[in-house]
Amino acid sequence: MKEKIGITACSDPMKPEFQSNMDRLCAILSDVGYEPVISNCIYPKIYPEAYGLHGTGAERAAELMKLYTDPEITAIFDISGGDMSNELLPYLDFEVIRSSEKKFYGYSDLTTILNAIYTKTGNPGVLYQVCNLLYADKAEQERYVKQEFIEQKPWKHNW
C-alpha cells in the first residue's frame, strides 16, 4: 500500500491548463511510492478565467485542515506559491497541526504558513516545490524525493 500525501494550493490557484501537469505530477509521485490526495482548492471554482477565485481564506484553510486530520495522509505538499497564503492564518487549528506531526512542504509565499506552523507548533516544514518533479532535473528531483521523504535518508546531490 502506498503512502498517502496531500496536495493543496493555499496561495494562488493553478490555472485550468495546469491539469495535464497535475496528471503528470501525480503519476511521478505514484512511481516513487506515493498516493496523492488532491484537495478541492487547486483550481478556480467559479469559472476557469476567474484566476484567484479558488476559495476564501477560510475555505482554503478548511481544505488544508482536512488533510491534517486525515489519518492516512502522512505529509502535505503545496503546489501554489503566490501572494494569498496569509489569508489562511486566522483559520488554522495549530493544536491539530501540532498533534498530527505531518510535515508541510511549500515554497515562495508558503513561507508564511511554514513559519507559522513552526512558530506555533514546533513542527518542522520544508521549503520545497514538489512541481520540480516536472522540470529539466526531473531524475535528480525523483532521487531527492525518494531519499529524503520516503527513505528518510540525507540527500546527496550531484552538483
Side-chain angles (χ1 to χ4, degrees):
M1 186 150 143
K2 292 184 178 186
E3 184 177 332
K4 290 186 178 182
I5 58 165
I7 305 289
T8 192
C10 294
S11 193
D12 293 349
M14 307 312 313
K15 293 182 178 180
E17 50 271 17
F18 182 76
Q19 183 62 56
S20 63
N21 283 334
M22 177 65 96
D23 294 342
R24 281 184 36 235
L25 178 62
C26 289
I28 292 166
L29 289 168
S30 182
D31 288 346
V32 297
Y34 286 125
E35 180 182 333
V37 176
I38 310 301
S39 82
N40 291 318
C41 66
I42 302 291
Y43 299 102
K45 297 199 179 308
I46 299 174
Y47 44 89
E49 54 278 356
Y51 187 71
L53 300 176
H54 66 312
T56 65
E59 290 166 336
R60 295 191 321 275
E63 285 295 310
L64 178 59
M65 294 311 302
K66 281 192 335 193
L67 297 173
Y68 270 109
T69 57
D70 184 332
E72 294 185 348
I73 292 176
T74 59
I76 300 166
F77 291 82
D78 191 290
I79 60 170
S80 60
D83 59 3
M84 296 168 43
S85 69
N86 61 331
E87 295 175 354
L88 278 69
L89 296 177
Y91 307 105
L92 297 178
D93 186 333
F94 290 103
E95 287 307 312
V96 168
I97 293 169
R98 179 191 331 268
S99 67
S100 79
E101 298 183 1
K102 295 176 187 180
K103 280 190 182 172
F104 180 84
Y105 299 85
Y107 81 113
S108 185
D109 181 47
L110 278 298
T111 56
T112 301
I113 293 175
L114 288 165
N115 290 336
I117 288 171
Y118 181 71
T119 300
K120 298 270 192 178
T121 71
N123 292 0
V126 179
L127 186 62
Y128 179 71
Q129 169 52 298
V130 74
C131 288
N132 286 338
L133 290 166
L134 299 171
Y135 307 128
D137 294 327
K138 174 183 176 260
E140 183 87 6
Q141 291 296 319
E142 283 182 24
R143 282 193 300 280
Y144 172 63
V145 167
K146 197 174 224 180
Q147 286 180 297
E148 188 73 21
F149 305 143
I150 296 175
E151 298 169 4
Q152 302 289 310
K153 295 177 186 173
W155 180 51
K156 301 231 189 287
H157 56 78
N158 296 326
W159 298 339

